[in-house]
Amino acid sequence: MIDASDVCSFDTRDGSLVYRDTGAGQPLVLLHGGFLDHHMWDDQIQVLARDHRVIAPDARGHGGSANAGEPFRQTDDLAALLRHLGVGPAVLVGVSMGGGIAVDTALEHPGLVRAVVVSGVGTSEPEFQDPWVHEIRAEQARALAAGDAGRWVEAFVRLAAGPHRTLDDVDQEVVHRIREMTWRTVSKHTGAEPERLVPVSDTWARAATIRVPVLAINGGIDSDDHIGMAERLVRTVADGRATTVEGTAHYPNMERPDAFDDILRSFLRTVSAQEN
């Protein structure tokens, strides 16, 4: 169940950022994938909030958060939010784009990060070779050129199935939620809008400097690229490990939230034990 009283906003000089904040204990930050929003964690927030303070923001330009009116970095937005809340160091858990933000924050604002969990991503500088991923990206480019938002959204939603299934094979409630979140974010933007996101540079080269524990929770039938980048990350950092949620693709937390939570909670216990 979603409690609207948990949804807050943080005013920045470039508009407000929306986030959910509930529970008490060590801070656990849930970072959504690109074009989605904090609702991708709806099945998990209350469970995890039983023994953690759970913070789940909408990235700038996504969900309920303001679009960018000036250049920005997602990691700086997150750092500003955590400092505003007086939170940190926190465990950052991110799926896809959210995982990239988590890694960026471990590089750029290390004092705010206790541990990192990624899913379907390595750093914020992805490298794609899988023909299936290239096919989706090409279809999105064609849709963008034609000004066809619906076609772009449908190409994006295919990530939910992965390369080995069709969307008919995925729980239709999950597909509906992903499509709804994507439309909510896409509808905030126009094709003529300038790109104001400033990337963090040299993330792969710098990843070896990350000293906090890093866990990759991959969907077992995600694309080879997404799995491979996450596995490359955990091989690169000082303290990395990887595991799999079988039978899921790019959004394992949505397809099998209980399995994802079990893995995450075990990792959180390990992080606490290492600190004691």
Side-chain angles (χ1 to χ4, degrees), residues 124-198:
S124 59
E125 296 178 293
E127 299 172 358
F128 296 116
Q129 300 174 356
D130 190 322
W132 179 79
V133 176
H134 281 301
E135 176 191 339
I136 289 178
R137 290 166 65 86
E139 175 64 9
Q140 289 176 309
R142 289 189 292 268
L144 187 61
D148 190 339
R151 183 176 167 189
W152 191 99
V153 169
E154 289 310 304
F156 177 83
V157 172
R158 289 176 59 193
L159 291 172
H164 308 292
R165 301 181 296 181
T166 70
L167 287 174
D168 290 338
D169 301 317
V170 182
D171 183 326
Q172 291 304 293
E173 176 61 23
V174 171
V175 174
H176 169 75
R177 289 171 58 201
I178 291 169
R179 184 178 285 119
E180 183 178 53
M181 286 184 282
T182 306
W183 266 113
R184 190 156 53 233
T185 290
V186 167
S187 67
K188 293 162 60 76
H189 301 276
T190 68
E193 192 174 302
E195 177 57 81
R196 294 189 171 95
L197 176 63
V198 177

Side-chain angles (χ1 to χ4, degrees), residues 119 159-162 164-165 217-223 227 244-257 259-260:
S119 180
L159 291 172
H164 308 292
R165 301 181 296 181
I217 308 177
N218 290 319
I221 51 177
D222 201 355
S223 79
I227 294 171
T244 301
V245 180
E246 298 294 347
T248 68
H250 201 50
Y251 304 110
N253 71 301
M254 296 184 70
E255 290 200 76
R256 294 186 61 195
F260 191 100

Side-chain angles (χ1 to χ4, degrees), residues 91-107:
V91 177
L92 308 184
V93 183
V95 173
S96 196
M97 180 191 79
I101 297 171
V103 173
D104 283 350
T105 305
L107 293 171

